[in-house]
């Protein structure tokens, strides 16, 4: 395999967004808020010139090329988060027992009651900076940090994971339905 002396990825910064690079710490400010991420664990060099952010690596091997793409993707996700935001729609599915879902603001958790007839409620942690809304059988998870939003949605889905039962029969649970941005309407529209 031929080796390159250096590889570089360039990320365009849109209008209304400011990016500050301090060593390997990237801070992005936009109309929806501010995000900051420390990328010091990646062997890349991050520089800024005008409305562009360059992520580069010298004498990369296969592993470093992958990390170059990872660092660029993190910065792109931060820019998209402060401009458009992220929304995950989840749906409650039950056939055996009616499930009640409530948001506990004090405990920063989502409580799932009467899941498969259980007396003890199940709970899922809601991370900081994430808003969770429950309307009927639909649950909406919103925020600007994709890691926090997706982890909260995963916590909710995993809280209703069924063990020691036939999954072909017991399909009850809370499942991720769609992933969109905050700019799209919150209806039942599907993302391709």
């Amino acid at each position: 395999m031929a080796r390159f002396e250096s590889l570089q990825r360039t990320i365009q910064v849109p209008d209304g967004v400011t990016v500050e690079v301090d060593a390997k710490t990237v801070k992005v400010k936009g109309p929806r808020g501010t995000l900051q991420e420390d990328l010091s664990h990646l062997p890349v060099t991050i520089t800024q010139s005008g409305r562009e952010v360059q992520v580069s690596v010298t004498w990369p091997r296969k592993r470093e090329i992958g990390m170059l793409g990872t660092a660029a993707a993190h910065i792109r996700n931060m820019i998209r988060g402060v401009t458009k935001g992220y929304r995950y729609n989840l749906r409650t599915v039950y056939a055996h027992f009616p499930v009640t879902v409530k948001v506990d603001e004090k405990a920063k958790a989502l409580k799932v009651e009467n899941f498969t007839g259980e007396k003890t409620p199940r709970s899922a942690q809601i991370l900081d900076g994430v808003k969770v809304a429950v309307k009927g059988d639909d649950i909406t998870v919103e925020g600007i940090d994709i890691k926090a939003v997706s982890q909260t949605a995963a916590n909710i889905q995993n809280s209703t994971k069924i063990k020691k039962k036939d999954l072909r029969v017991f399909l009850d649970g809370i499942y991720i339905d769609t992933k969109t941005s905050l700019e799209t309407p919150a209806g039942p529209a599907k993302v391709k």
Side-chain angles (χ1 to χ4, degrees), residues 88 90 124-125 141 148-160 174 176:
Y88 279 42
L90 293 92
Q125 180 187 8
V141 181
V149 172
S150 61
Q151 185 61 55
T152 300
N155 290 345
I156 294 169
Q157 183 169 330
N158 286 337
S159 71
T160 59
I174 299 174
I176 296 174

Side-chain angles (χ1 to χ4, degrees), residues 14-33:
D15 294 332
V17 176
T18 59
V19 177
E20 298 173 16
V21 178
D22 181 26
K24 290 187 180 181
T25 302
V26 180
K27 189 173 185 180
V28 180
K29 292 181 185 176
R32 293 195 182 270

Side-chain angles (χ1 to χ4, degrees), residues 90-143:
L90 293 92
R91 182 149 306 177
T92 305
V93 178
Y94 52 88
H96 298 89
F97 295 94
V99 176
T100 306
V101 180
K102 298 176 186 173
V103 177
D104 187 1
E105 296 291 336
K106 274 187 182 178
K108 296 280 292 174
L110 185 96
K111 299 288 184 190
V112 181
E113 297 174 350
N114 199 34
F115 182 70
T116 65
E118 295 174 350
K119 298 293 181 193
T120 308
R122 295 184 179 207
S123 66
Q125 180 187 8
I126 299 173
L127 299 180
D128 292 333
V130 178
K131 295 177 191 166
V132 177
V134 178
K135 186 175 182 184
D137 288 343
D138 296 327
I139 302 168
T140 306
V141 181
E142 298 177 345

